[in-house]
Amino acid sequence: MPTPSMEDYIEQIYLLIEEKGYARVSDIAENLSVHPSSVTKMVQKLDHEKYLIYEKYRGLVLTANGKKVGKRLVYRHELLEQMLRLIGVKEENIYHDVEGIEHHLSWNAIDRIGDLVEFFEEAPERVEDLRKIQKRNEENQK
């Protein structure tokens, strides 16, 4: 299992490859706000762990396992963003909140969150009922 830090790199590499067709060390560093030397060290570690194949000065490609893990990590991130929007978290807080919680949830918890999102999406009146409760609770806090 990859560490939370490894997960962040795999997720970014997966997203860059999906978006651009390739992932460069400089792009990964920029997206993660880290130094290129840190990216190089992590990429070498991910190569050793068989999540990607890295050739110095030639670039990198995700292995089949790296792609599988990357896709699942992107799904987790997007699902958590979707859930937070659904329950009414302010948009400016969502990305930071997801980054704070995504590595601390089991895949079982992620699957249950997926069920919860589906539950609300199947019947929009459930979301309306939730909004009424939120409004009532906010008024009671005043």
Side-chain angles (χ1 to χ4, degrees):
M1 287 300 293
T3 65
S5 181
M6 292 166 85
E7 287 182 346
D8 287 339
Y9 279 85
I10 294 168
E11 183 179 2
Q12 275 307 312
I13 292 165
Y14 181 87
L15 287 168
L16 283 165
I17 291 172
E18 286 292 302
E19 179 186 321
K20 296 176 146 185
Y22 60 89
R24 296 182 313 195
V25 167
S26 59
D27 295 329
I28 299 165
E30 183 179 332
N31 287 4
L32 292 174
S33 300
V34 297
H35 293 287
S37 60
S38 298
V39 175
T40 300
K41 286 178 189 172
M42 181 58 80
V43 164
Q44 290 168 342
K45 187 182 227 178
L46 293 170
D47 179 79
H48 179 74
E49 296 288 327
K50 307 276 193 256
Y51 290 107
L52 56 81
I53 299 166
Y54 173 66
E55 294 180 25
K56 196 171 184 179
Y57 306 117
R58 298 206 43 161
L60 56 95
V61 292
L62 289 170
T63 62
N65 187 45
K67 288 178 188 172
K68 179 181 169 188
V69 170
K71 185 175 185 174
R72 186 125 165 103
L73 294 171
V74 168
Y75 164 77
R76 176 182 70 186
H77 190 100
E78 290 173 350
L79 177 67
L80 291 171
E81 283 187 355
Q82 187 179 7
M83 184 211 39
L84 293 179
R85 276 188 193 95
L86 188 69
I87 63 170
V89 172
K90 293 177 181 175
E91 193 64 36
E92 62 265 21
N93 297 331
I94 290 178
Y95 181 81
H96 185 262
D97 287 350
V98 169
E99 287 297 311
I101 63 174
E102 68 183 337
H103 300 296
H104 301 285
L105 296 171
S106 68
W107 285 105
N108 178 253
I110 296 298
D111 291 339
R112 299 301 64 83
I113 289 168
D115 297 341
L116 181 66
V117 168
E118 187 177 332
F119 172 79
F120 278 105
E121 288 182 337
E122 283 180 353
E125 65 274 7
R126 293 173 182 154
V127 176
E128 292 171 26
D129 290 343
L130 177 61
R131 297 289 178 259
K132 289 176 189 172
I133 291 168
Q134 290 170 333
K135 185 176 182 178
R136 183 184 68 223
N137 288 341
E138 287 173 4
E139 289 172 358
N140 287 340
Q141 290 176 351
K142 293 179 182 178

